[in-house]
Amino acid sequence: MQNRTLRQLTAAGVIAAAYAALSLVLAPITFGPVQCRISEALTLLPVISPAAIWGVTLGCAVTNGVGAATGANFLGLVDLLVGTAATLLAAVATRLLGKIRFGGLPWLSALPPILFNAVAIGGEWCYAMTGSINGAFWVFAGQIALGQLPPCLLGVWLVGLLERRSLQTIIEGK
């Protein structure tokens, strides 16, 4: 039992580190009203293991915190709270949708990271740029959703690849 817990904690830590490293190395496209966080592909890993929920959440928190501290993240500490909460909620919903498959792949699991981030981050950007949540929200939410789409589709492919190669056990902690 302790060995499994240690493996899950390790998996969560490795996922968090990978998410943060990938996000921060690609900081110019990670932050902004038009963003494409390639690391968001990892947000599909909760389909495989609940440990990944904590991994992507911690990775997002580290990314947003470092971004706020360095000035790369214009939204600052608000994004540390709001963006991380959106990632946590999306990861839980992704996990819940993981058993629904089309062609053997969890396509619906890509929707929560796209939608939760579009609403949360789109709302943050709308408020930061206009001083209120108004009709411009839909523009910001749409930009965020479009930026989320490619990494999340990549995440579906990643889950499929890990499962086909029987590598999901690395993340499952078994």
Side-chain angles (χ1 to χ4, degrees), residues 69-106:
T70 61
N73 187 350
F74 173 77
L75 298 172
L77 293 177
V78 171
D79 196 40
L80 176 61
L81 299 173
V82 175
T84 303
T87 296
L88 174 61
L89 293 173
V92 170
T94 293
R95 173 82 180 156
L96 294 173
L97 291 172
K99 299 291 182 217
I100 303 170
R101 305 288 178 119
F102 298 99
L105 294 172

Side-chain angles (χ1 to χ4, degrees), residues 25-91:
V25 164
L26 299 172
I29 63 170
T30 294
F31 301 106
V34 179
Q35 58 182 254
C36 185
R37 283 192 183 185
I38 304 302
S39 56
E40 285 289 300
L42 302 177
T43 63
L44 274 287
L45 294 179
V47 167
I48 295 172
S49 171
I53 294 170
W54 302 111
V56 295
T57 301
L58 179 59
C60 180
V62 168
T63 298
N64 290 340
V66 170
T70 61
N73 187 350
F74 173 77
L75 298 172
L77 293 177
V78 171
D79 196 40
L80 176 61
L81 299 173
V82 175
T84 303
T87 296
L88 174 61
L89 293 173

Side-chain angles (χ1 to χ4, degrees), residues 3-28:
N3 191 30
R4 181 175 180 172
T5 301
L6 180 59
R7 291 180 87 170
Q8 289 174 327
L9 283 170
T10 302
V14 169
I15 292 166
Y19 184 105
L22 194 55
S23 295
L24 295 170
V25 164
L26 299 172

Side-chain angles (χ1 to χ4, degrees), residues 115 118-119 122-123 126 133-146:
L115 298 176
V119 170
C126 183
I133 302 296
N134 52 45
F137 163 79
W138 296 107
V139 173
F140 288 106
Q143 290 174 187
I144 298 298
L146 285 175

